[in-house]
């Protein structure tokens, strides 16, 4: 009797220890669990500052310090309109490409009013220290010859004579590409080739259509992008 009870106990223990084998599952019934991975935040692209328009993306002096470093900034007072207008300005020397760029600040907001690139780099006593080529995205660049400027424009260009405060200003309301350009242009007589072109001096209006200007040593001196005009 005791032996029968013992066998019954052992049998029940074996049955309780058996592992149930799951039924076979068809592939259609398998649910794939995907682990969601949080997407990486996009990295902000570094501005390369290849064009004048690139510099115009900086809106205040703090951003200039962040982009170029305090050591590469020089603050000064810019005199305009024959000395009747004073504007706070900062000159930047880009340490990566040596572009010399001038920022003019708005009197009220201290934000960027305009950015300007010049062909000649002048010393404090008016001597030429060098020249540079800075391009705009529309194809203009500092140092561009007058004949190439006219070709780019697709029409002749009127501008002020040299040797006074408004020297070389290209007048508004021009025909050609200038009519839609956001870049203001100032011309200059190329300093090493001025003999024989004294007629260009003074408060006069010059037009590239004049035969006497066909070989004149005139180049683009400054490109200016006004952010105020862009917002209008």
């Amino acid at each position: 009797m005791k032996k029968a009870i013992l066998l019954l106990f052992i049998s029940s223990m074996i049955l309780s220890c058996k592992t149930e084998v799951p039924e076979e599952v068809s592939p259609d019934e398998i649910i794939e669990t995907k682990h969601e991975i949080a997407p990486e935040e996009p990295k902000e692209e570094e501005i390369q500052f290849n064009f004048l328009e690139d510099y115009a993306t900086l809106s205040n002096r703090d951003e200039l310090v962040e982009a170029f470093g305090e050591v590469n900034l020089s603050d000064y007072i810019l005199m305009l309109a024959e000395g009747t207008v004073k504007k706070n300005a900062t000159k930047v020397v880009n340490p990566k490409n040596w572009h010399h760029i001038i920022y003019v600040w708005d009197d009220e907001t201290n934000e960027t009013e305009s950015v300007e690139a010049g062909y000649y780099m002048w010393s404090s006593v008016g001597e030429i220290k060098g020249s540079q080529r800075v391009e705009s995205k529309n194809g203009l660049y500092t140092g561009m010859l007058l004949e190439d400027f006219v070709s780019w424009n697709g029409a002749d260009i009127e501008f002020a004579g040299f040797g006074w405060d408004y020297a070389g200003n290209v007048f508004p309301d021009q025909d050609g590409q200038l009519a839609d350009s956001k870049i203001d242009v100032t011309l200059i007589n190329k300093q090493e080739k001025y003999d024989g072109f004294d007629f260009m001096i003074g408060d006069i209006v010059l037009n590239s259509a004049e035969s006497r200007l066909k070989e004149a040593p005139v180049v683009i001196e400054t490109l200016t992008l006004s952010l105020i005009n862009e917002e209008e």
Side-chain angles (χ1 to χ4, degrees):
M1 182 67 178
K2 289 182 180 180
K3 185 179 291 186
I5 293 172
L6 181 61
L7 289 173
L8 182 61
F9 176 76
I10 292 173
S11 298
S12 63
M13 288 293 293
I14 293 173
L15 288 173
S16 64
C17 292
K18 284 185 180 181
T19 303
E20 292 185 5
V21 179
E23 294 182 6
E24 198 173 312
V25 180
S26 66
D28 294 337
E29 296 176 327
I30 297 175
I31 301 175
E32 183 180 355
T33 302
K34 295 183 180 179
H35 298 284
E36 292 186 2
I37 301 175
E40 294 184 4
E41 293 186 5
K43 296 181 180 179
E44 188 175 346
E45 292 186 10
E46 183 180 352
I47 302 174
Q48 297 303 312
F49 299 106
N50 294 320
F51 300 96
L52 184 65
E53 291 86 347
D54 296 333
Y55 290 96
T57 61
L58 303 181
S59 60
N60 56 59
R61 196 182 186 284
D62 289 340
E63 291 183 1
L64 266 61
V65 173
E66 185 178 351
F68 309 110
E70 181 67 48
V71 69
N72 294 307
L73 309 184
S74 302
D75 298 320
Y76 67 104
I77 302 296
L78 184 64
M79 306 300 294
L80 302 171
E82 298 181 307
T84 61
V85 176
K86 296 180 180 180
K87 301 290 292 185
N88 291 320
T90 300
K91 183 174 78 172
V92 170
V93 178
N94 187 336
K96 292 185 178 180
N97 55 22
W98 301 109
H99 284 167
H100 288 54
I101 306 294
I102 295 173
Y103 285 79
V104 179
W105 306 114
D106 182 89
D107 294 332
E108 296 181 0
T109 64
N110 290 323
E111 294 187 345
T112 305
E113 183 174 291
S114 65
V115 290
E116 176 184 302
Y119 176 57
Y120 286 117
M121 292 177 282
W122 304 87
S123 70
S124 58
V125 295
E127 295 178 346
I128 297 174
K129 298 169 62 177
S131 61
Q132 65 175 351
R133 173 170 170 152
V134 179
E135 302 177 12
S136 66
K137 290 182 177 180
N138 64 6
L140 295 174
Y141 57 89
T142 58
M144 176 183 267
L145 293 171
L146 176 60
E147 60 183 311
D148 294 332
F149 183 26
V150 172
S151 177
W152 170 90
N153 187 43
D156 283 300
I157 297 166
E158 281 193 339
F159 57 98
F162 303 112
W164 64 303
D165 281 7
Y166 295 100
N169 278 2
V170 173
F171 297 125
D173 301 325
Q174 301 277 344
D175 294 328
Q177 288 202 76
L178 283 172
D180 299 318
S181 176
K182 295 180 180 180
I183 304 293
D184 294 323
V185 180
T186 302
L187 303 175
I188 194 171
N189 57 292
K190 216 170 181 184
Q191 299 297 295
E192 67 269 20
K193 293 181 179 180
Y194 196 53
D195 294 340
F197 293 94
D198 293 345
F199 67 87
M200 297 190 300
I201 300 176
D203 183 4
I204 57 175
V205 177
L206 299 170
N207 192 302
S208 60
E210 299 178 46
S211 59
R212 59 181 180 169
L213 285 173
K214 292 303 180 184
E215 297 181 1
V218 175
V219 299
I220 290 180
E221 162 61 355
T222 58
L223 298 177
T224 304
L225 176 57
S226 174
L227 302 188
I228 293 178
N229 290 342
E230 276 201 334
E231 294 172 357
E232 293 178 353

